[in-house]
Amino acid sequence: MSLHLIQTPDISAHPIEPHTLLRPRRAITGISAILLPFLENGAIDWPGFEAHVARTLDAGLAPAVNMDTGYVNLLDERQRQDVLARTQAIAAGRDFVAGAFVADQPGAAFDRDAYARQIELIQHASGTPVIFQSFGLTGQPSNAIVAAYASLGTLCDRFIAFELGTMFAPFGKIYDLETYAGLLDVPQCIGAKHSSLSRVLEWQRLALRDARRPDFKVFTGNDLAIDMVIYGSDY
């Protein structure tokens, strides 16, 4: 699949004025990651997990399961499927998201089939996939990265992308603004979590979003600046 990027305004060449981004009295879309707890004997604490999911939903937040916070890279396929099934039962039609995680090694090729299997499992459980980065995904040129996301978009009605700084995971990558603009052009990509810990990079994404696709969600992952929601980020 080939995808031509539309020319992107060079937002990075102009200083961001944060006060122009302020969005008072805006309803915030909140998603909260759920930790999968284990007991001392090594068994999963399913009652603890299920209670956490229920509390999160009752608080008006969408649970995010099988995520980095839940150490998805340490779970096997059966455990991830159990998490999805239990979350679906508790959600009972309410929204939740789940990580589509593909383990690979440096230098690996983009494994669309592996992502497709994860997306199918999440959709079968009525969740929205969050596309985790992988060496195969982020190791490609910019246009190929966007084409990969567009290809995954043909497998589902909606998904959330995920930028993860290498301080969090070696397979992560913070995209340049041209690549990020390409994500905004994938209709099934409804938003992207941004975890760079940089206010400036997130402000740039908000300005680009506001100019290009206002309905796109910039989900802040900045644990050092939880006030990013006042500028138009979601959580």
Side-chain angles (χ1 to χ4, degrees):
M1 174 180 291
S2 62
L3 191 71
H4 299 287
L5 297 179
I6 300 174
Q7 186 175 2
T8 305
D10 188 6
I11 290 175
S12 62
H14 304 283
I16 298 293
E17 298 291 345
H19 71 276
T20 65
L21 299 173
L22 290 173
R23 299 291 182 266
R25 298 182 176 86
R26 181 182 63 93
I28 297 169
T29 298
I31 300 175
S32 182
I34 305 295
L35 179 70
L36 182 63
F38 282 74
L39 302 172
E40 290 186 8
N41 63 6
I44 294 175
D45 178 9
W46 287 119
F49 169 78
E50 291 172 351
H52 191 178
V53 171
R55 287 194 306 270
T56 301
L57 285 162
D58 290 344
L61 300 170
V65 299
N66 288 340
M67 294 292 292
D68 49 326
T69 307
Y71 304 102
V72 63
N73 56 308
L74 301 180
L75 303 180
D76 60 34
E77 191 73 12
R78 184 64 212 173
Q79 290 170 330
R80 291 198 293 268
Q81 290 183 34
D82 285 346
V83 166
L84 289 172
R86 290 169 185 265
T87 304
Q88 180 183 22
I90 297 167
R94 290 174 288 181
D95 290 340
F96 76 92
V97 307
F101 174 77
V102 172
D104 62 1
Q105 300 296 322
F110 171 62
D111 193 342
R112 182 181 186 273
D113 290 342
Y115 276 106
R117 288 192 293 273
Q118 297 302 314
I119 290 171
E120 182 181 8
L121 289 171
I122 296 166
Q123 289 198 114
H124 182 72
S126 302
T128 297
V130 178
I131 307 301
F132 265 73
Q133 292 172 315
S134 61
F135 289 108
L137 175 60
T138 61
Q140 304 176 101
S142 177
N143 63 334
I145 290 174
V146 176
Y149 283 108
S151 175
L152 296 179
T154 66
L155 303 173
C156 54
D157 294 331
R158 47 190 268 155
F159 71 84
I160 296 172
F162 192 174
E163 292 183 285
L164 193 61
T166 53
M167 76 285 278
F168 298 114
F171 51 76
K173 185 173 185 178
I174 302 299
Y175 299 131
D176 58 44
L177 283 179
E178 182 180 19
T179 305
Y180 196 87
L183 289 180
L184 271 62
D185 292 331
V186 178
Q188 298 88 353
C189 185
I190 62 170
K193 186 186 178 201
H194 179 74
S195 294
S196 70
L197 301 181
S198 167
R199 285 180 179 270
V200 173
L201 291 177
E202 193 164 328
W203 283 330
Q204 289 176 347
R205 280 150 178 74
L206 289 168
L208 180 62
R209 184 276 307 275
D210 290 348
R212 194 182 188 97
R213 184 180 163 189
D215 66 314
F216 190 87
K217 302 286 188 182
V218 178
F219 292 104
T220 184
N222 193 335
D223 300 320
L224 305 180
I226 60 173
D227 65 332
M228 288 303 298
V229 294
I230 70 176
Y231 302 104
S233 293
D234 287 276
Y235 174 79

